[in-house]
Amino acid sequence: MKIIDRILLFVNHKNMSMRTFDTSIGVGNGYTSKQSKSRASVGSNVLERIIDEYPDLNPLWLVTGKGNMILEIEITDEPLPDYGKSIDDILENKIERIVERQLKKINERLDTFPTIEEISLEIQKKLGS
């Protein structure tokens, strides 16, 4: 599946016309339809506009098809991070945030594991009985 196919899925998910979508991202009327019919590539400048206009759209899904189409938006008091200006910057920042969350979960799980000293004491108890 190409990026244009995922764009069409997103437009359908949003229940909007291609004309409305084209207008929202600042491209000419019929751009999305034309790209779809000709199976053409979508320019990086258009991808950036889509990502800027639709923050709930997962950029990783849009570009690669991996993950969920829609991001779960968490509302926090923290300032928004600087995502960068290019698709590469946006993807790099997104991947970093995902890895940070996964590492945090792993660290939380590691806190429940016994220490080497605790394991050693348990082994000594078992051998002593």
Side-chain angles (χ1 to χ4, degrees), residues 4-5 8 18 31-40:
I4 188 64
D5 298 320
L8 294 176
M18 282 195 259
Y31 173 83
T32 304
S33 179
K34 180 181 175 186
Q35 297 302 97
S36 174
K37 288 177 185 171
S38 65
R39 306 292 296 152

Side-chain angles (χ1 to χ4, degrees), residues 53-77:
E53 184 65 28
Y54 298 98
D56 60 330
L57 176 61
N58 182 347
L60 184 61
W61 176 84
L62 180 61
V63 174
T64 67
K66 295 179 181 175
N68 295 324
M69 176 193 315
I70 303 300
L71 293 171
E72 291 182 24
I73 299 175
E74 299 174 16
I75 299 173
T76 66
D77 293 332

Side-chain angles (χ1 to χ4, degrees), residues 13-126:
H13 170 79
K14 286 291 196 180
N15 201 23
M16 68 173 72
S17 69
M18 282 195 259
R19 179 182 183 139
T20 302
F21 179 76
D22 288 347
T23 301
S24 74
I25 60 170
V27 295
N29 187 26
Y31 173 83
T32 304
S33 179
K34 180 181 175 186
Q35 297 302 97
S36 174
K37 288 177 185 171
S38 65
R39 306 292 296 152
S41 297
V42 177
S44 62
N45 61 332
V46 174
L47 289 174
E48 288 178 28
R49 290 180 194 172
I50 294 170
I51 291 167
D52 284 343
E53 184 65 28
Y54 298 98
D56 60 330
L57 176 61
N58 182 347
L60 184 61
W61 176 84
L62 180 61
V63 174
T64 67
K66 295 179 181 175
N68 295 324
M69 176 193 315
I70 303 300
L71 293 171
E72 291 182 24
I73 299 175
E74 299 174 16
I75 299 173
T76 66
D77 293 332
E78 296 177 28
L80 291 174
D82 177 16
Y83 291 109
K85 303 223 186 299
S86 71
I87 292 289
D88 289 338
D89 290 341
I90 293 167
L91 290 175
E92 184 177 333
N93 282 309
K94 176 66 178 172
I95 291 168
E96 284 176 9
R97 289 193 316 275
I98 290 170
V99 169
E100 285 174 8
R101 279 197 310 261
Q102 289 175 338
L103 286 174
K104 183 179 177 184
K105 286 179 183 177
I106 289 170
N107 282 331
E108 289 170 358
R109 289 183 183 162
L110 285 176
D111 289 340
T112 63
F113 283 93
T115 64
I116 297 213
E117 291 82 17
E118 293 170 331
I119 294 170
S120 178
L121 286 171
E122 191 63 31
I123 290 171
Q124 288 174 8
K125 284 180 191 176
K126 296 283 183 185

